[in-house]
Amino acid sequence: MTAQTILTGGDIAKVTAEKKTSAFKSIFIVASGNFLEMFDFMVFGYYATYISKAFFPTGSEFASLLLTLMTFGAGFLMRPVGALVLGAYVDHHGRRKGLLLVLGLMALGTLAIAITPTYEQIGLAAPLIILAGRLVQGLSAGVEVGGVSVYLNEIAPPHRKGFFTSWQSASQQAAVVFAALIGLIVSTSLSPETMQAWGWRIPFIIGCVMIPFLFIIRRHVEETEAFLNRKEHPQIGQIMRIIGNNWGIVLQGALMAVMTTVFFYMITAYTPTFGSKVLNLGAGDALFVTACVGLTNFIMLPVMGALSDKVGRRPLLITATVLGAVLAYPLMSWLVSDPSFGKLLAVELLLAAIYATYNGAFIVYLTEIIPGHVRTVGFSLAYSMATAIFGGFTPAISTALIGVTGDKAIPGAWCAAAAVISLLALLIGSRINRRAEDQA
């Protein structure tokens, strides 16, 4: 006779509570490194003006700033390389090992930027070291977003994958808020001369101080059951062939990622420079607006991820892309016609709401259309290509477009174009996928 365990209502409630606690603990652990990655990227964007004078002196403020923003964007060129090499490593060796490796690479890039002497002190070696640090950061970031997104997707219950996966982006928004608040405190506490001399390094040093704690936290990441239950873990050569056979899905994912990457770097990394240098508002005002943007996204992203679990991914994706295409340029035109703190805050929050609606559905959508056994490398490659070609260079492209056209609102047109590209990729890609399924 087999003994049966009878669970009371209290026992069931206790087990449910323990599962919820374990799930949120896993989200926190795996998202911690993602926080550092975005913190470092945001700090570089926020202090682009100071970095340009320290490492890229040209005699022209515009040229120095553009070189700095191009260096910021150069890190994104390494993302596809990181997606392929490190993504294949994660798909073969496991999510846990891969996430620890990318955190280590990220730490090296952060340390290099924090301690490098200026151009005046060591000459041409200074900007070259900064560029190398950005490239190493880009290499690790190429798989960080994909690795975290796939991990969260694989530990999520079937009916809550949108909510769980959205915390990848939400952790980035926490970093945006943290970086902006530190920037606000530092910039208001120190004189402009002190900021230029060494004050801009403080946030990077804070990032370095966080690294040991993040390593301790991420060491507790457990391997996902989905990976452990997989009978085969393909080698790098096999992974490349599988990706080649599914290039259409990867391309669709990359084009759909254009909107989310362009909007993200527009409303976060570029806002302090745009607010202070283009609109001539106070640097503190622009950083405060950026913090508000990050906080808004932090709240909205999980909400939109959960909503996508209820109503589906496509309705949110279509709504957000249409709104982005129609509203981005008019909003920017209204802002630059008579710049003010209130207008900047209103426009950035509206663009943030559009971004959060799209991203909350897109990240989980991309994890779902990529084949499971190459999910990390496929996701990372699609996302990193969009970031490398479009999103990461958004601050530099926006600066260059303003310089060429004289239209301060032109960054809005860049956002609108990104929305149109992603909308077409969604509609055309979905139709092609349905045809392939019908023929199968």
Side-chain angles (χ1 to χ4, degrees), residues 52-374:
S52 67
K53 294 177 181 178
F55 298 105
F56 301 94
T58 64
S60 167
E61 184 175 347
F62 174 80
S64 295
L65 179 59
L66 189 57
L67 279 174
T68 303
L69 294 178
M70 290 296 287
T71 302
F72 176 78
F76 296 97
L77 294 178
M78 289 298 290
R79 286 197 171 201
V81 179
L84 286 172
V85 177
L86 298 179
Y89 178 91
V90 174
D91 279 330
H92 180 71
H93 293 283
R95 316 310 187 201
R96 182 181 185 276
K97 289 183 178 179
L99 290 173
L100 285 171
L101 174 62
V102 298
L103 182 59
L105 291 173
M106 202 182 306
L108 288 176
T110 302
L111 182 62
I113 296 173
I115 66 174
T116 299
T118 64
Y119 183 92
E120 183 178 342
Q121 294 169 318
I122 62 172
L124 187 59
L128 291 178
I129 294 173
I130 295 299
L131 177 60
R134 285 290 300 141
L135 293 178
V136 171
Q137 284 184 328
L139 185 72
S140 64
V143 78
E144 175 71 22
V145 172
V148 172
S149 299
V150 168
Y151 186 92
L152 293 175
N153 175 279
E154 291 183 350
I155 68 170
H159 60 289
R160 303 194 72 193
K161 289 187 178 295
F163 175 73
F164 269 61
T165 308
S166 67
W167 284 100
Q168 178 276 127
S169 298
S171 68
Q172 293 183 332
Q173 304 305 319
V176 170
V177 175
F178 185 58
L181 290 178
I182 288 177
L184 187 61
I185 293 171
V186 171
S187 61
T188 54
S189 302
L190 302 177
S191 67
E193 293 75 19
T194 304
M195 280 296 300
Q196 184 60 62
W198 54 266
W200 64 268
R201 295 184 188 269
I202 293 176
F204 287 101
I205 294 172
I206 291 174
C208 291
V209 171
M210 288 191 292
I211 289 170
F213 299 99
L214 294 177
F215 264 111
I216 293 172
I217 293 171
R218 188 164 271 193
R219 285 185 63 188
H220 291 87
V221 170
E222 296 180 359
E223 192 55 78
T224 68
E225 289 185 16
F227 180 84
L228 294 174
N229 293 336
R230 195 164 294 134
K231 294 181 179 179
E232 293 185 8
H233 302 298
Q235 299 289 340
I236 292 180
Q238 294 174 285
I239 290 173
M240 296 307 168
R241 285 193 295 272
I242 295 170
I243 290 296
N245 294 333
N246 292 275
W247 66 269
I249 294 176
V250 174
L251 179 60
Q252 180 196 354
L255 293 175
M256 286 185 62
V258 170
M259 174 171 171
T260 198
T261 59
V262 167
F263 268 68
F264 176 77
Y265 287 102
M266 178 66 71
I267 63 178
T268 55
Y270 187 55
T271 292
T273 301
F274 182 72
S276 59
K277 292 299 179 182
V278 179
L279 303 182
N280 296 316
L281 300 177
D285 289 344
L287 284 169
F288 180 78
V289 169
T290 306
C292 291
V293 165
L295 182 61
T296 299
N297 287 334
F298 181 79
I299 295 170
M300 286 193 65
L301 280 164
V303 172
M304 291 303 169
L307 182 60
S308 77
D309 288 328
K310 300 291 185 182
V311 304
R313 321 300 183 202
R314 282 174 58 86
L316 296 185
L317 295 173
I318 293 173
T319 299
T321 48
V322 170
L323 288 175
V326 172
L327 295 179
Y329 186 73
L331 285 173
M332 281 290 189
S333 296
W334 176 70
L335 169 60
V336 303
S337 64
D338 184 23
S340 67
F341 168 77
K343 278 190 171 185
L344 179 63
L345 180 62
V347 168
E348 294 288 344
L349 291 184
L350 284 170
L351 294 177
I354 294 172
Y355 159 80
T357 301
Y358 186 81
N359 188 271
F362 167 69
I363 296 297
V364 65
Y365 178 88
L366 186 55
T367 62
E368 291 169 339
I369 65 174
I370 301 291
H373 48 305
V374 292

